Amino acid sequence: MSAIDNHCGLLIKQIHDIMEKQGNNALRGQNLTFSQASVLMAINEAESKILTMKELESKMNVAQSTVAGIVMRLEKKKLVEGFGDPMDKRIKKVRLTSEGRNFCDISRTNMADAERYLLSGLNDDEKEQFRSLLIKIINKLK
């Protein structure tokens, strides 16, 4: 392995790419992508279970056009519904449908399984240290 192969950013990207590929393979049977599932889970985790397109854009760290495309596909699959803010019609909000909520319930279990697999080579102390370090890095980057 060369010195560049050991750069933390590249290692983190490789982990992400592997997990995304495995996620896409697992979701293929449900006609969903990892990105679509991530949007569903972000909405589900919101306190009000509703997010604006702008909030989704920020949470997903992608362009407005990307979020709009993902939401449009999820609307066609009847997993989310978009609606205007009654106070400001320029703001589009998105909420889960009952099918979207059901998907999130199933996905929570699948995500826990994937994380157990990801961390299976670490002992409990290493897992906690790994999480702590990732959180520390994320907080520094914000």
Side-chain angles (χ1 to χ4, degrees):
M1 202 179 257
S2 71
I4 197 160
D5 291 336
N6 286 322
H7 283 263
C8 291
L10 180 60
L11 295 170
I12 291 168
K13 181 173 181 350
Q14 288 173 343
I15 291 168
H16 173 269
D17 291 348
I18 291 166
M19 296 298 289
E20 184 174 30
K21 183 178 179 181
Q22 290 175 348
N24 280 326
N25 288 338
L27 292 165
R28 188 171 291 123
Q30 296 169 331
N31 193 27
L32 287 172
T33 66
F34 190 76
S35 295
Q36 291 168 347
S38 297
V39 165
L40 292 172
M41 296 304 286
I43 297 167
N44 193 54
E45 291 170 7
E47 188 174 325
S48 66
K49 306 292 186 194
I50 296 171
L51 289 176
T52 67
M53 295 292 278
K54 196 61 130 172
E55 289 168 329
L56 274 173
E57 189 181 323
S58 175
K59 284 187 175 296
M60 302 300 297
N61 199 27
V62 295
Q64 183 274 333
S65 58
T66 302
V67 169
I70 292 169
V71 167
M72 181 185 70
R73 287 185 283 284
L74 290 171
E75 284 177 316
K76 285 181 182 177
K77 295 173 185 183
K78 302 198 183 317
L79 296 170
V80 299
E81 56 186 4
F83 60 98
D85 185 317
M87 303 302 256
D88 187 344
K89 295 292 184 194
R90 297 172 296 175
I91 298 174
K92 182 175 180 181
K93 294 185 174 187
V94 184
R95 69 177 150 234
L96 298 174
T97 63
S98 60
E99 291 107 14
R101 286 189 298 276
N102 289 339
F103 171 82
C104 288
D105 291 341
I106 294 165
S107 287
R108 193 171 293 111
T109 300
N110 294 339
M111 289 172 67
D113 291 344
E115 182 159 324
R116 268 192 296 282
Y117 175 72
L118 170 70
L119 302 177
S120 63
L122 304 177
N123 65 39
D124 289 343
D125 288 340
E126 291 169 331
K127 289 175 191 176
E128 188 52 43
Q129 184 179 18
F130 183 65
R131 280 187 188 94
S132 176
L133 291 171
L134 289 174
I135 291 167
K136 187 174 184 177
I137 291 167
I138 288 168
N139 288 336
K140 176 67 177 162
L141 294 174
K142 287 184 178 179

